[in-house]
Amino acid sequence: MKKQGIFNSQISYFVASMGHKDMLSIVDMGYPIPKDATFVDLVFDKGIPNFIDTIKMVLYELEVEKVIIAGEMEVNNLKNYQKVIDIFSNIEIEKKSHEEFKDIAKNSKFFIRTGECTPFSNIILVSGVIF
Amino acid sequence: MKKQGIFNSQISYFVASMGHKDMLSIVDMGYPIPKDATFVDLVFDKGIPNFIDTIKMVLYELEVEKVIIAGEMEVNNLKNYQKVIDIFSNIEIEKKSHEEFKDIAKNSKFFIRTGECTPFSNIILVSGVIF
Amino acid sequence: MKKQGIFNSQISYFVASMGHKDMLSIVDMGYPIPKDATFVDLVFDKGIPNFIDTIKMVLYELEVEKVIIAGEMEVNNLKNYQKVIDIFSNIEIEKKSHEEFKDIAKNSKFFIRTGECTPFSNIILVSGVIF
Amino acid sequence: MKKQGIFNSQISYFVASMGHKDMLSIVDMGYPIPKDATFVDLVFDKGIPNFIDTIKMVLYELEVEKVIIAGEMEVNNLKNYQKVIDIFSNIEIEKKSHEEFKDIAKNSKFFIRTGECTPFSNIILVSGVIF
Amino acid sequence: MKKQGIFNSQISYFVASMGHKDMLSIVDMGYPIPKDATFVDLVFDKGIPNFIDTIKMVLYELEVEKVIIAGEMEVNNLKNYQKVIDIFSNIEIEKKSHEEFKDIAKNSKFFIRTGECTPFSNIILVSGVIF
Amino acid sequence: MKKQGIFNSQISYFVASMGHKDMLSIVDMGYPIPKDATFVDLVFDKGIPNFIDTIKMVLYELEVEKVIIAGEMEVNNLKNYQKVIDIFSNIEIEKKSHEEFKDIAKNSKFFIRTGECTPFSNIILVSGVIF
Amino acid sequence: MKKQGIFNSQISYFVASMGHKDMLSIVDMGYPIPKDATFVDLVFDKGIPNFIDTIKMVLYELEVEKVIIAGEMEVNNLKNYQKVIDIFSNIEIEKKSHEEFKDIAKNSKFFIRTGECTPFSNIILVSGVIF
Amino acid sequence: MKKQGIFNSQISYFVASMGHKDMLSIVDMGYPIPKDATFVDLVFDKGIPNFIDTIKMVLYELEVEKVIIAGEMEVNNLKNYQKVIDIFSNIEIEKKSHEEFKDIAKNSKFFIRTGECTPFSNIILVSGVIF
Amino acid sequence: MKKQGIFNSQISYFVASMGHKDMLSIVDMGYPIPKDATFVDLVFDKGIPNFIDTIKMVLYELEVEKVIIAGEMEVNNLKNYQKVIDIFSNIEIEKKSHEEFKDIAKNSKFFIRTGECTPFSNIILVSGVIF
Amino acid sequence: MKKQGIFNSQISYFVASMGHKDMLSIVDMGYPIPKDATFVDLVFDKGIPNFIDTIKMVLYELEVEKVIIAGEMEVNNLKNYQKVIDIFSNIEIEKKSHEEFKDIAKNSKFFIRTGECTPFSNIILVSGVIF
C-alpha cells in the first residue's frame, strides 16, 4: 500500500502528471463536466467528500501557484469562499464570472467531482513548479 | 443532477446492472483487487470513506440477500463486525476464511475500494431479487 | 438488483453523471441522433416505450430545471405537447424551431432513443441542481 | 427509418448475426448476466418490457428451432410457463434445472435483459435455420 | 437465423439506427469513402453486388423520403439512372454535381460499398419517417 | 482501385495474411460463427453470394492445399458436394462429421459468411504454400 | 498463402480499399508522416526497399490515374525522377513544391514508408477507376 | 507539479493501487517481462536507473512487508544482494530459484524495468498494509 | 531520423523490449503466425526481404544467445541452413521438429514475417543478455 | 536484449519513426505536456534523469538538424544553455519566447518528460535527414 499522501490511485496519477500551469479542476456535484474530459467521480454522498476537504487532500501532493474561482462564490457561498481565501492566502486568487470559469476549466487536464452541494464550489488549481 | 439515492455515476451503473446472485465487493484500502477486475477507487483519505458508511450508501439502492465476510473480522475487528451484524441482522451472513473470501470475491462483478484502514473490512454483497 | 428508481443500467449512469445545465435528450424513434453521440437505444417496438412514459421514467431520478422542445410539437402533436406542459408545469419550457432544437441537442451529454412514433416528440431535459 | 420488424438497432444486429444453433438468451431483470457477455439492457421499468412480449418481439425476425427453460418456471411461474408453451407449441422445449440453465446460457451469443420481475422468466432461444 | 428482410448483420444494424433525414450512401466500387466513415465493404466481385440490387435490398427495410444522386449519372449511366428513376418514382430525386454529391455524402451515417463498376453509380438515401 | 483479383478489402487482407496450414472457413448463412472469431459478413441476400462462387472468388488469390468438409454434404447437398469435388479435384478433400468440422473450424484465422442457404455448405480451406 | 500480386497483408488491404481519387503516398525513410496517419512501415534497411521498386510493387494491383510529386525531385534526384517519368509515361504527373506536396499528402488514405534514402523520393498515387 | 515522493506519474498510479500482498516487480534491463504484463520502461541507459536506487525510489511511497529474490543473487551479485539485505533488514526476504522467481513474478500487478545490468537484480516487493 | 542500426520503427521497439530468454521469431512468408501474436509484416515481394538478410538486420541490435530451428531445414533447405550455421557459429543452435518449433514459437514476444519463399526458413532468436 | 544505442523501448520506437523535420520535445519535469500528446514519462526523481543527459541519450540514435529553445533559458538557466550550445555547436539553434516555444512544441510527434528541475530546460529536436 501507499504509505502517505494522496491514497486515491487516479488522483495520484493526475497530480504526478501535472506540469507547470496545467490546470486541475475540483468541482461540486452539479458541475457540468465536459463530455470528453478526464475525470474521477469521487462522489460518496450529498456533501461527501466536500469541496474544501478535497482541495486540502489534493494539496498534500500538488504544488499550486494560482487558483481561479467564480466571483459568484464570494456572493453566494461566503463560507467556502472564506476557506478558499484562508487556504490560498499566500498565492494569487483570480476571480472570473461563472461562465468564464467554465470556459477556462474546459482546458483542465483533469477534473475531480466532489459531493459538494453548495453553489459555485468550483476551483481551478493552476499547478506551480517545484524549482 | 440525480435527485437521490447513489450519487456516484459508476456505482449507480454497477448497482443497476446487478442480477440475482451477482456479487459486489466492498473492500478496505489494502485489499488486493484482482488485476482484471472492474472497480471504482473511492478512496478519499485514510479511513475515508469508511467501510460501514460505504455499505450503507450502496444499500440505498442495492437489494442484498446474503453477505460473505471473513471470519477473521469477528476476531480482529469486532467493531466493524458488530456493525455488519446489525446492518444485516435479517439476512444470511456467511463466514469464510480470508483466503477463501478472496477466492470467492474474484468472481465479483464489481469492486468498490474504500478508505477503510481496519483489518478484514471486506464484504461481498450477494444481490437479492426484488420479485 | 436495484431496489427502485431507474432500473436501466446505462440510464442510471447517464443521470448520475449529469451536472447542472447538462442536457439529456429524449427523442422519438425517427430522430437523427448525431454520429458521435452517446446514446441508449431503448426502442422495444413501434410506440414502445413511448415519449411521455420515458420522460416520467427519467424524472424518477433526474432533477430538471428547464426543458427545450420544438415549437412544431404544439402544432403537430398537441396530445404529447399537452402532456409535456402538464409534466413540466412548474418549470421553464423553451420553444425552438425543430432545426434549432436539433442544433442545440448536438451538445447533449446523452440521448435516449424511444419507440415513440408521433411527430416532434423530442425534448431536451436541462439538468437542474439539487442544492 | 426501418419500416418493420425489430426496430431496436442492437437487437437487429444480434438477430441478423445468429447462425444455426446459436443461442440468444432473453432474461428477467434479476438474471446474473456473465461479466464478459454481449448484452442489451432493454429495461424500461419494473415489468417493462415483459418477458413474453420480448420473446414475441424477437420472434418477428428470429427463426427458432428449440428453446431451453428452467423447469422451475412451470412450478413457480405457471402464467409465463403457459405462454411459453403456447408460443412454442410447435417446437422442442427443453427443461433444465435453473443452475444447468445458467451454465448453458453462458455460451449465448447475446443476452437481452428485460424488465420482467417474475421468477425464472428466462429462456434460451436456439436459432433454427431457414433452409 | 433471421427469417426475412436484410440478412447482412451490419446493414441490419445500420438501417435500424437510421433516424429521419439520416443519410445512408450506397456507392460503386470506385467511390472514395472518407477515411473516418463507418462502412460495410460488400464487394464480392466486379459488378457484384450491383448498384441497383443493393438499393433494392436496403429498401426491404429502410424507409426513404428522398434520394440524392449526381446529375452526371443521367449523362454517363443512363441505364442505372433509368432504374433509379423507376425505383424512386414516387419520391423526390435531388440532383447535384458529383463534387457536391461527395461533399454532402461525407455526412452519411453509413456507407455501403458495392461491386458496381459503372460510372456515377452512387446514391444517398435520405431516411424517411414511418409516422 | 485494385485492378484485379479479390476486390473486397477485408478478404484481401485475410488472404494475404494466411500462412501455410492456416485455415479460412467459408460458411453458409446459418453457420454458428464463434463469438470471438474474425469474420466478414458478405451476406447480400438469401443465396447471394452463394457458397461455390465465394470459394471460386477466394481461390483467385488463395493457394489451397487441402479442404475439409462435413461428410453430410455429400448426403444432403449433392449439388454443392459435386461442385466442391470438381473445384478441388487435384487436392485432398478431408471429410469430417459436421460436429467435428465445427470443432476444427474454431481455429480458423478467418470466416467468410455467405448468403448460401443449402445445408452443410461449409468448407475449411487449408492454405497451401507457394514455394 | 496468396498466390500472386501484393503479398504484404496491410498493403493488400490498403489497395483494395482505395476508391477513385483516393490518395496513397509512398515516401522515403525521412518523410514526416502525419501523427494520425494510417501507415505501414516497410523499412528494412537504408535504401531497402527502394522508392521505385515500392511503386512498382504497389502497381501490381493499384490502378493509378495521376501522380503528384515534388518539383524538387527533378532538380535534386534526377535518377528517380527519370524512372518515375518512365513508369508513369502514360498518365498525368503533377508537380508541386515539396511544401505543397506535404500539404496535399496529409489527405492520403494511407502512407507506405520505404527505406529510400535519396531526396524528394515521395509520390502521391491518385487512384484511378477500373471502369 | 507533485511536491514530493514518487514523481513518475505511472509509478505513482502503480503504488497507490497496490493492495495488501499485491506484488510489484523491479527488474533488471534483461528481465523477460511477460507479454501481457503492465509495466513501465524506466530504462535511461545501461545501468541507469540502477536496481537499488529504483527500490529506494519506490520505497518513498510503497509499504512493503516482504520481498522475494532469486537465491542466485547472493552467489552471482553479492554487491546488490548485500544492499538488498541492508534495505530490507527489518522484513522477511524470501529466496527462490530464478526460475521459481519468474513464475511467481508473473502474478505481479506491475513491473518496473530498470537499466540495471548486473545479474539477478530482480525483486518482488510484496505490499504490506498501513493499518 | 534514426542514424544507424535497425531503421524499422516497430522492429526497433520489439528489439528494445526484449529481455533475457525472450523469443523473437523470424519466419518465411508461409509461416502460420498465431492469431493473437504481435507481428510486423515486412513482406515486400516473393523472396524480399529474404530470411538471412532479415536475421542479419535484426542482429544489428539484438543480442542472441541461442537459436532454435526446425531440423527439416538442414534436409530441405541446405543453403539457408548453411548460412544460419555460419551466422550463429559461436552460439547454441537447437534443432526441433517443425511441429515442435511451431509449438515453442507460440510463446514468442514478436514475429517478423519476411518474404522468404524457401521451406523451413524459420528461426527463433532467443535473446541473450548484455551483462 | 538490445546491444547498444537507446535502450528504452518507447524512445527506440519514437526515434525510429521520426521523419525529416518531425519534432521530438525533451522537457523538464514541470513542462505542461498537451493532453493528447504521445509521451514517455522518464522521471525517476527530482533532477534524474537530467535534461542534458537525456538530450545526449536521444542523440545516440536521432539525427538532428535544428533545435528550438526558449530564449529565457539563456537568461535564467545559463548552465544548461551553455551545454546546449556546446552539444549543438554545429547546427542551427533557434530561440523563441517560452510561450511561442510551447505553441510550436504542440506539434511534436513525441515528448520525453525528464526529471530536470531547472527553469526553461525544454528543447525541440527537429529531426534531420541521413541522406
Side-chain angles (χ1 to χ4, degrees):
Chain A
M1 287 178 70
K2 188 171 180 181
K3 292 182 207 169
Q4 77 291 319
I6 295 177
F7 290 101
N8 185 289
S9 49
Q10 279 189 289
I11 300 175
S12 294
Y13 174 75
F14 287 175
V15 168
S17 345
M18 297 280 281
H20 186 204
K21 309 260 187 225
D22 272 339
M23 301 191 294
L24 182 151
S25 293
I26 298 175
V27 296
D28 63 49
M29 192 156 73
Y31 189 85
I33 295 174
K35 270 196 279 193
D36 55 359
T38 306
F39 75 100
V40 61
D41 187 346
L42 216 52
V43 173
F44 181 78
D45 210 332
K46 276 179 86 168
I48 309 173
N50 74 49
F51 176 60
I52 297 298
D53 290 347
T54 305
I55 293 172
K56 289 176 182 170
M57 178 265 281
V58 170
L59 293 180
Y60 289 161
E61 295 190 1
L62 181 65
E63 181 69 26
V64 175
E65 68 175 26
K66 186 176 95 167
V67 295
I68 305 171
I69 57 173
E72 292 89 331
M73 192 198 288
E74 185 174 5
V75 174
N76 301 285
N77 196 336
L78 196 60
K79 210 180 104 193
N80 273 350
Y81 175 75
Q82 208 53 58
K83 289 177 183 170
V84 165
I85 299 303
D86 296 345
I87 295 171
F88 299 107
S89 53
N90 58 351
I91 63 166
E92 183 197 348
I93 300 176
E94 197 183 325
K95 288 183 210 164
K96 297 282 183 183
S97 77
H98 186 50
E99 289 311 311
E100 284 167 329
F101 176 95
K102 283 193 286 184
D103 224 39
I104 298 165
K106 277 184 191 136
N107 300 312
S108 303
K109 233 174 187 179
F110 310 105
F111 282 83
I112 298 177
R113 186 185 188 219
T114 71
E116 182 75 27
C117 285
T118 63
F120 303 107
S121 300
N122 311 303
I123 191 166
I124 298 170
L125 307 181
V126 179
S127 169
V129 67
I130 58 168
F131 54 85
Chain B
M1 289 178 70
K2 188 170 179 181
K3 293 182 203 168
Q4 76 291 321
I6 294 176
F7 290 101
N8 184 288
S9 47
Q10 279 188 288
I11 300 174
S12 292
Y13 175 73
F14 287 177
V15 168
S17 344
M18 296 280 281
H20 186 204
K21 307 260 187 228
D22 271 341
M23 302 191 295
L24 183 152
S25 294
I26 298 176
V27 297
D28 63 48
M29 192 157 68
Y31 190 85
I33 296 176
K35 269 197 281 191
D36 54 1
T38 306
F39 75 100
V40 62
D41 186 346
L42 216 51
V43 172
F44 182 78
D45 209 333
K46 273 180 86 170
I48 307 174
N50 72 49
F51 175 61
I52 297 299
D53 289 348
T54 306
I55 293 173
K56 289 177 181 167
M57 178 266 283
V58 171
L59 293 180
Y60 289 163
E61 296 188 359
L62 182 66
E63 181 70 24
V64 174
E65 68 174 25
K66 186 176 94 164
V67 295
I68 305 170
I69 59 173
E72 292 90 331
M73 192 198 288
E74 186 174 4
V75 176
N76 302 285
N77 196 336
L78 195 60
K79 210 180 110 198
N80 272 350
Y81 175 75
Q82 210 53 60
K83 289 178 184 170
V84 165
I85 299 304
D86 294 347
I87 295 172
F88 300 107
S89 54
N90 58 352
I91 64 165
E92 183 196 348
I93 299 177
E94 195 182 328
K95 289 184 207 164
K96 296 282 184 184
S97 76
H98 187 50
E99 289 312 311
E100 285 167 328
F101 177 93
K102 283 195 283 185
D103 225 39
I104 298 165
K106 276 181 192 138
N107 299 313
S108 303
K109 233 172 185 178
F110 309 105
F111 282 83
I112 299 177
R113 186 185 186 219
T114 72
E116 182 75 27
C117 284
T118 63
F120 302 108
S121 300
N122 310 302
I123 192 166
I124 299 171
L125 308 182
V126 179
S127 169
V129 67
I130 59 168
F131 54 85
Chain C
M1 288 179 70
K2 189 172 178 180
K3 293 182 205 167
Q4 78 290 318
I6 294 177
F7 290 103
N8 185 288
S9 49
Q10 279 188 291
I11 300 176
S12 294
Y13 174 74
F14 287 176
V15 168
S17 348
M18 296 281 282
H20 187 204
K21 308 262 187 222
D22 270 341
M23 301 190 294
L24 183 151
S25 293
I26 298 175
V27 297
D28 64 48
M29 193 156 71
Y31 190 85
I33 297 175
K35 270 196 278 192
D36 55 359
T38 306
F39 75 100
V40 63
D41 187 347
L42 216 52
V43 172
F44 182 78
D45 209 333
K46 275 180 84 169
I48 308 174
N50 73 48
F51 176 60
I52 296 299
D53 291 347
T54 306
I55 293 174
K56 289 177 182 169
M57 178 265 282
V58 171
L59 293 180
Y60 289 162
E61 295 190 0
L62 182 64
E63 181 69 26
V64 175
E65 70 175 25
K66 187 177 94 166
V67 295
I68 306 171
I69 57 174
E72 292 89 332
M73 191 198 288
E74 186 174 3
V75 174
N76 302 285
N77 196 336
L78 194 61
K79 209 179 108 197
N80 273 349
Y81 175 75
Q82 210 54 58
K83 290 177 183 171
V84 165
I85 299 303
D86 296 346
I87 295 171
F88 300 107
S89 53
N90 59 351
I91 63 166
E92 184 197 349
I93 299 176
E94 196 183 327
K95 287 184 210 163
K96 296 281 182 183
S97 76
H98 186 50
E99 290 312 312
E100 285 168 328
F101 176 94
K102 283 194 285 183
D103 224 40
I104 299 166
K106 277 183 191 136
N107 300 313
S108 304
K109 231 170 187 181
F110 310 105
F111 282 82
I112 297 176
R113 185 185 188 221
T114 72
E116 181 75 25
C117 283
T118 63
F120 303 107
S121 300
N122 311 302
I123 193 166
I124 297 170
L125 308 181
V126 179
S127 169
V129 67
I130 59 169
F131 54 85
Chain D
M1 290 176 70
K2 188 171 180 181
K3 292 183 207 169
Q4 77 290 319
I6 294 177
F7 289 101
N8 184 288
S9 48
Q10 279 190 289
I11 299 173
S12 293
Y13 175 74
F14 286 176
V15 168
S17 345
M18 296 280 282
H20 186 204
K21 305 245 188 246
D22 270 342
M23 301 191 294
L24 183 152
S25 293
I26 298 176
V27 296
D28 64 49
M29 193 157 70
Y31 189 86
I33 296 175
K35 268 196 279 193
D36 54 1
T38 306
F39 75 101
V40 62
D41 186 347
L42 215 51
V43 172
F44 182 78
D45 209 334
K46 272 180 86 168
I48 309 174
N50 72 49
F51 176 60
I52 296 299
D53 290 346
T54 306
I55 293 173
K56 289 177 182 169
M57 178 265 282
V58 170
L59 293 180
Y60 290 163
E61 296 189 1
L62 182 65
E63 180 69 24
V64 175
E65 68 175 24
K66 185 175 95 166
V67 295
I68 305 170
I69 58 173
E72 292 89 331
M73 191 198 289
E74 186 174 5
V75 175
N76 302 285
N77 197 336
L78 196 60
K79 210 179 108 197
N80 273 349
Y81 175 75
Q82 210 53 59
K83 290 177 183 171
V84 165
I85 299 304
D86 295 346
I87 295 172
F88 299 107
S89 54
N90 60 350
I91 64 166
E92 183 196 348
I93 299 177
E94 194 181 329
K95 289 184 207 161
K96 296 280 183 185
S97 76
H98 186 50
E99 289 313 311
E100 285 167 328
F101 176 94
K102 284 194 283 184
D103 225 38
I104 298 165
K106 276 181 191 137
N107 299 313
S108 303
K109 231 170 186 180
F110 309 105
F111 282 82
I112 299 177
R113 186 185 187 221
T114 71
E116 182 75 26
C117 284
T118 63
F120 302 107
S121 300
N122 310 302
I123 193 166
I124 297 171
L125 307 182
V126 180
S127 170
V129 67
I130 58 169
F131 54 85
Chain E
M1 289 178 69
K2 189 172 180 180
K3 294 181 204 168
Q4 78 290 319
I6 295 177
F7 290 102
N8 185 288
S9 48
Q10 279 188 289
I11 301 176
S12 294
Y13 176 73
F14 287 176
V15 168
S17 347
M18 296 281 282
H20 187 203
K21 308 262 187 223
D22 271 341
M23 301 191 294
L24 183 152
S25 294
I26 297 175
V27 297
D28 63 47
M29 193 157 71
Y31 190 86
I33 296 176
K35 269 196 280 191
D36 54 1
T38 306
F39 75 100
V40 62
D41 186 347
L42 216 53
V43 172
F44 182 78
D45 210 332
K46 274 180 86 170
I48 308 173
N50 73 49
F51 176 60
I52 296 300
D53 290 348
T54 306
I55 294 174
K56 288 177 183 169
M57 178 265 281
V58 171
L59 294 180
Y60 290 162
E61 294 189 359
L62 182 64
E63 180 69 24
V64 176
E65 71 176 22
K66 185 175 96 166
V67 296
I68 306 170
I69 57 173
E72 292 89 331
M73 192 199 287
E74 187 173 3
V75 174
N76 303 284
N77 197 336
L78 194 61
K79 209 177 110 200
N80 273 350
Y81 175 75
Q82 209 55 57
K83 289 176 184 171
V84 165
I85 299 302
D86 295 346
I87 295 170
F88 299 108
S89 53
N90 59 350
I91 63 166
E92 183 196 348
I93 299 176
E94 196 182 329
K95 288 183 207 164
K96 297 281 183 183
S97 76
H98 185 49
E99 289 311 311
E100 284 168 327
F101 176 95
K102 282 195 284 184
D103 224 41
I104 299 167
K106 276 182 193 138
N107 299 313
S108 304
K109 231 170 187 180
F110 310 105
F111 283 82
I112 297 176
R113 186 186 187 219
T114 72
E116 182 74 26
C117 282
T118 63
F120 302 107
S121 300
N122 311 302
I123 193 167
I124 297 170
L125 307 183
V126 179
S127 170
V129 67
I130 58 169
F131 54 85
Chain F
M1 288 176 72
K2 188 173 180 179
K3 292 183 208 169
Q4 76 290 318
I6 294 177
F7 289 101
N8 184 288
S9 48
Q10 279 189 289
I11 299 173
S12 294
Y13 174 74
F14 287 176
V15 168
S17 344
M18 296 281 281
H20 186 204
K21 308 263 185 220
D22 271 340
M23 301 191 294
L24 183 152
S25 293
I26 299 177
V27 297
D28 64 47
M29 193 158 70
Y31 189 86
I33 296 175
K35 270 196 278 192
D36 54 1
T38 305
F39 75 100
V40 63
D41 187 347
L42 215 52
V43 172
F44 182 77
D45 209 333
K46 274 180 88 168
I48 308 174
N50 74 48
F51 177 60
I52 296 299
D53 290 347
T54 306
I55 292 172
K56 289 176 181 168
M57 178 266 282
V58 171
L59 292 180
Y60 289 163
E61 295 189 0
L62 181 64
E63 180 70 25
V64 175
E65 70 173 24
K66 184 175 95 166
V67 295
I68 306 170
I69 57 173
E72 291 90 330
M73 192 198 287
E74 185 173 5
V75 174
N76 302 283
N77 196 337
L78 195 60
K79 210 180 108 198
N80 273 350
Y81 174 75
Q82 209 54 57
K83 290 176 182 170
V84 165
I85 298 303
D86 296 345
I87 295 171
F88 299 107
S89 53
N90 61 348
I91 64 165
E92 184 196 347
I93 299 177
E94 196 181 326
K95 287 185 208 162
K96 295 280 182 182
S97 76
H98 186 49
E99 289 312 311
E100 286 168 325
F101 176 94
K102 283 194 284 183
D103 225 40
I104 298 165
K106 277 181 189 137
N107 300 313
S108 303
K109 232 171 185 180
F110 309 105
F111 282 82
I112 299 178
R113 186 185 186 220
T114 72
E116 182 75 26
C117 283
T118 63
F120 302 107
S121 301
N122 310 303
I123 192 165
I124 298 170
L125 307 182
V126 179
S127 169
V129 66
I130 58 169
F131 54 84
Chain G
M1 290 179 68
K2 189 172 180 179
K3 293 180 203 169
Q4 77 290 319
I6 295 178
F7 289 103
N8 184 289
S9 48
Q10 279 188 290
I11 300 176
S12 293
Y13 175 73
F14 286 0
V15 168
S17 344
M18 296 280 282
H20 186 204
K21 306 258 188 231
D22 271 340
M23 302 190 294
L24 183 153
S25 293
I26 298 175
V27 296
D28 64 46
M29 192 157 70
Y31 189 86
I33 297 177
K35 269 196 279 192
D36 55 1
T38 306
F39 76 100
V40 62
D41 186 347
L42 216 52
V43 172
F44 182 78
D45 210 332
K46 276 180 87 169
I48 309 174
N50 72 50
F51 176 60
I52 296 300
D53 289 348
T54 306
I55 293 173
K56 288 177 182 169
M57 178 264 283
V58 171
L59 293 181
Y60 289 162
E61 295 190 359
L62 181 64
E63 180 69 25
V64 175
E65 71 175 24
K66 185 176 96 166
V67 295
I68 306 171
I69 57 173
E72 290 90 330
M73 192 199 288
E74 186 173 4
V75 176
N76 302 286
N77 196 336
L78 195 60
K79 210 179 108 196
N80 273 350
Y81 175 74
Q82 210 54 58
K83 289 178 184 171
V84 165
I85 298 303
D86 294 346
I87 295 172
F88 300 107
S89 54
N90 58 353
I91 63 165
E92 184 196 346
I93 298 177
E94 197 181 327
K95 287 183 209 164
K96 297 279 182 183
S97 77
H98 186 50
E99 290 311 312
E100 283 169 328
F101 176 94
K102 282 194 286 184
D103 224 40
I104 298 168
K106 277 183 191 138
N107 298 313
S108 304
K109 231 172 186 180
F110 310 106
F111 283 83
I112 298 176
R113 185 186 188 218
T114 70
E116 182 75 27
C117 283
T118 64
F120 302 107
S121 300
N122 309 303
I123 193 165
I124 297 171
L125 308 183
V126 179
S127 169
V129 67
I130 59 169
F131 53 86
Chain H
M1 287 178 70
K2 188 171 180 182
K3 293 181 204 169
Q4 76 290 319
I6 294 177
F7 290 102
N8 185 288
S9 48
Q10 278 188 289
I11 299 174
S12 292
Y13 175 73
F14 287 177
V15 168
S17 345
M18 296 280 281
H20 187 204
K21 306 251 188 241
D22 272 340
M23 301 191 294
L24 182 152
S25 294
I26 298 175
V27 297
D28 64 47
M29 192 157 70
Y31 190 86
I33 296 176
K35 269 198 277 192
D36 54 359
T38 307
F39 75 99
V40 63
D41 186 345
L42 216 51
V43 172
F44 182 78
D45 210 332
K46 274 180 87 170
I48 308 175
N50 72 50
F51 175 59
I52 297 299
D53 290 346
T54 307
I55 293 173
K56 288 177 182 169
M57 178 265 284
V58 171
L59 293 179
Y60 288 163
E61 295 189 359
L62 182 65
E63 180 70 24
V64 174
E65 68 174 28
K66 186 176 95 164
V67 294
I68 306 170
I69 57 173
E72 292 90 330
M73 194 198 287
E74 185 174 4
V75 176
N76 301 284
N77 196 336
L78 195 60
K79 210 179 106 198
N80 272 350
Y81 175 76
Q82 210 54 61
K83 289 177 184 170
V84 165
I85 298 304
D86 297 345
I87 295 172
F88 299 107
S89 53
N90 58 353
I91 64 165
E92 184 196 347
I93 299 177
E94 195 182 328
K95 288 183 208 162
K96 295 280 182 184
S97 75
H98 186 52
E99 288 313 311
E100 284 167 329
F101 177 94
K102 283 194 284 184
D103 224 38
I104 299 166
K106 277 182 190 138
N107 299 312
S108 303
K109 233 170 185 180
F110 309 105
F111 282 82
I112 298 177
R113 186 185 188 220
T114 71
E116 182 75 27
C117 283
T118 64
F120 302 108
S121 299
N122 310 302
I123 192 165
I124 299 171
L125 307 182
V126 179
S127 170
V129 67
I130 59 169
F131 56 84
Chain I
M1 287 178 72
K2 187 173 179 179
K3 293 182 207 169
Q4 75 291 320
I6 295 177
F7 289 101
N8 185 288
S9 48
Q10 279 189 289
I11 300 175
S12 294
Y13 174 75
F14 287 177
V15 167
S17 343
M18 296 280 281
H20 187 204
K21 308 265 186 219
D22 272 340
M23 301 191 296
L24 183 152
S25 294
I26 298 177
V27 297
D28 64 47
M29 192 157 70
Y31 189 86
I33 296 176
K35 270 196 278 192
D36 54 1
T38 306
F39 75 100
V40 63
D41 187 345
L42 216 51
V43 172
F44 182 78
D45 210 332
K46 275 180 87 169
I48 308 174
N50 73 50
F51 176 60
I52 297 298
D53 290 346
T54 306
I55 292 172
K56 289 177 182 168
M57 178 265 282
V58 170
L59 293 180
Y60 289 161
E61 296 190 359
L62 181 64
E63 181 70 25
V64 175
E65 69 173 25
K66 185 175 96 166
V67 295
I68 305 169
I69 58 173
E72 292 90 330
M73 192 197 287
E74 186 174 4
V75 174
N76 302 283
N77 196 337
L78 195 60
K79 211 180 106 196
N80 273 350
Y81 175 75
Q82 209 53 60
K83 289 177 183 170
V84 165
I85 299 303
D86 297 344
I87 296 172
F88 300 107
S89 53
N90 59 350
I91 64 166
E92 184 196 347
I93 299 178
E94 195 181 326
K95 288 185 208 163
K96 295 280 182 185
S97 75
H98 186 49
E99 288 313 310
E100 285 168 327
F101 177 94
K102 283 195 284 183
D103 225 37
I104 298 166
K106 277 182 190 138
N107 300 313
S108 303
K109 234 171 185 181
F110 310 105
F111 282 83
I112 299 177
R113 186 186 187 218
T114 71
E116 181 75 26
C117 283
T118 64
F120 302 106
S121 300
N122 311 302
I123 192 165
I124 299 171
L125 308 183
V126 179
S127 169
V129 67
I130 59 170
F131 55 85
Chain J
M1 289 179 69
K2 188 172 180 179
K3 292 181 205 168
Q4 77 291 319
I6 294 177
F7 289 101
N8 185 289
S9 49
Q10 279 189 290
I11 300 175
S12 292
Y13 174 74
F14 288 177
V15 168
S17 344
M18 297 279 282
H20 186 205
K21 305 250 187 242
D22 271 340
M23 302 190 294
L24 182 151
S25 294
I26 297 175
V27 296
D28 63 47
M29 192 156 71
Y31 189 86
I33 297 176
K35 269 196 280 193
D36 53 3
T38 307
F39 76 99
V40 63
D41 187 345
L42 215 53
V43 172
F44 182 78
D45 209 333
K46 277 180 85 168
I48 309 174
N50 72 49
F51 176 61
I52 297 299
D53 289 347
T54 306
I55 293 173
K56 288 177 182 168
M57 177 266 280
V58 170
L59 293 180
Y60 288 163
E61 295 191 0
L62 181 64
E63 181 69 25
V64 174
E65 70 175 24
K66 186 176 94 166
V67 296
I68 306 172
I69 57 173
E72 292 89 331
M73 192 198 288
E74 185 173 5
V75 175
N76 301 286
N77 195 337
L78 195 60
K79 210 179 107 194
N80 272 350
Y81 175 74
Q82 210 53 58
K83 290 177 183 170
V84 164
I85 298 304
D86 295 346
I87 295 171
F88 299 107
S89 54
N90 58 352
I91 63 165
E92 183 196 346
I93 298 176
E94 196 181 327
K95 287 184 211 164
K96 297 280 183 184
S97 76
H98 186 50
E99 289 311 312
E100 285 168 328
F101 176 93
K102 284 194 285 185
D103 224 38
I104 299 166
K106 276 182 191 138
N107 299 313
S108 303
K109 237 177 184 176
F110 310 105
F111 282 83
I112 298 177
R113 185 186 188 219
T114 72
E116 183 74 27
C117 283
T118 63
F120 303 107
S121 300
N122 310 302
I123 192 165
I124 298 171
L125 307 182
V126 179
S127 169
V129 67
I130 59 168
F131 55 86

